[in-house]
């Protein structure tokens, strides 16, 4: 990422914020972390799908032409079929577009997809780690502010009890 692509970070003195502001920031961070977790989970599913596809492509042998296969219609319904060509596959490249590729090109395509998804996962994990550190710092400041309030309340009660 170049400096132009990086979002500008605002530095805030956490100790100068009140508990209500800290709670709001923590809540926002919790929501962002949830989104990052959901994104990571979706990317992990895509990564697994692409890896599985590469493994399936590795299993296609030239002598597979004419062999019987089960063609999925849905996740749980299949029809019998025969392999028409063992050197070409139809690849879904997204948004309703399909490309006829030879096995090696398809394998390279899906390996590139695995690499890309893995890189994106790394970026999201790094951002999530930073957000987690910020969240922990906010929780530490909140805890110290709550303890300070409790100490002040005890001191006020002690002084009120001593003056009676």
């Amino acid at each position: 990422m170049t400096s132009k692509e990086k979002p500008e970070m605002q530095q805030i003195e956490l100790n100068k914020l009140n508990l209500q502001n800290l709670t709001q920031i923590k809540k926002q961070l919790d929501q962002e972390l949830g989104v990052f977790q959901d994104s990571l989970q979706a990317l992990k599913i895509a990564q697994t799908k692409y890896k599985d596809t590469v493994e399936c492509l590795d299993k296609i042998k030239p002598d597979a032409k004419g062999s019987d296969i089960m063609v999925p219609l849905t996740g749980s319904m299949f029809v019998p079929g025969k392999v028409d060509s063992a050197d070409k596959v139809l690849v879904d490249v997204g948004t309703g577009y399909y490309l006829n590729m030879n096995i090696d090109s398809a394998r390279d395509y899906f390996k590139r997809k695995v690499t890309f998804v893995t890189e994106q996962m790394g970026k999201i994990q790094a951002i999530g780690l930073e957000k987690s550190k910020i969240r922990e710092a906010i929780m530490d400041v909140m805890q110290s502010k709550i303890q300070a309030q409790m100490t002040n309340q005890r001191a006020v009660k002690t002084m009120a009890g001593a003056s009676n």
Side-chain angles (χ1 to χ4, degrees):
M1 238 192 256
T2 66
S3 60
K4 290 181 181 178
E5 294 173 342
K6 286 185 180 178
E8 287 206 21
M9 298 283 283
Q10 250 186 325
Q11 194 163 6
I12 299 172
E13 276 294 322
L14 295 178
N15 289 325
K16 293 181 180 177
L17 297 175
N18 62 33
L19 272 174
Q20 183 179 359
N21 294 90
L22 290 169
T23 302
Q24 288 173 337
I25 294 171
K26 181 188 166 292
K27 186 177 180 181
Q28 181 182 349
L29 285 169
D30 287 340
Q31 289 172 342
E32 289 175 10
L33 286 169
V35 169
F36 290 140
Q37 286 299 325
D38 293 345
S39 296
L40 278 174
Q41 190 172 15
L43 287 171
K44 184 66 178 165
I45 290 168
Q47 182 189 48
T48 301
K49 181 177 112 177
Y50 296 141
K51 283 181 178 180
D52 290 347
T53 302
V54 170
E55 288 176 16
C56 287
L57 287 168
D58 289 339
K59 293 178 184 177
I60 297 176
K61 304 294 179 214
D63 62 347
K65 185 174 181 172
S67 55
D68 293 329
I69 59 169
M70 296 300 287
V71 180
L73 295 177
T74 68
S76 59
M77 187 168 51
F78 301 84
V79 294
K82 289 202 181 283
V83 176
D84 183 43
S85 171
D87 58 342
K88 296 254 185 211
V89 291
L90 195 59
V91 177
D92 180 356
V93 293
T95 62
Y97 290 96
Y98 297 87
L99 294 178
N100 203 1
M101 294 183 176
N102 66 41
I103 300 294
D104 290 335
S105 295
R107 185 181 299 111
D108 290 343
Y109 171 78
F110 285 107
K111 284 182 178 179
R112 286 193 313 272
K113 294 291 263 183
V114 168
T115 301
F116 176 76
V117 168
T118 303
E119 289 170 358
Q120 297 310 307
M121 289 172 66
K123 290 176 184 177
I124 290 174
Q125 285 172 331
I127 294 169
L129 184 61
E130 283 301 311
K131 297 277 185 180
S132 292
K133 288 178 182 177
I134 294 167
R135 183 184 177 279
E136 290 300 317
I138 288 172
M139 289 181 61
D140 289 345
V141 171
M142 287 175 69
Q143 186 68 28
S144 66
K145 285 188 177 268
I146 290 170
Q147 279 184 314
Q149 281 182 350
M150 291 175 67
T151 302
N152 287 343
Q153 287 175 352
R154 279 190 223 122
V156 168
K157 283 183 183 178
T158 305
M159 293 185 103
S163 63
N164 285 340

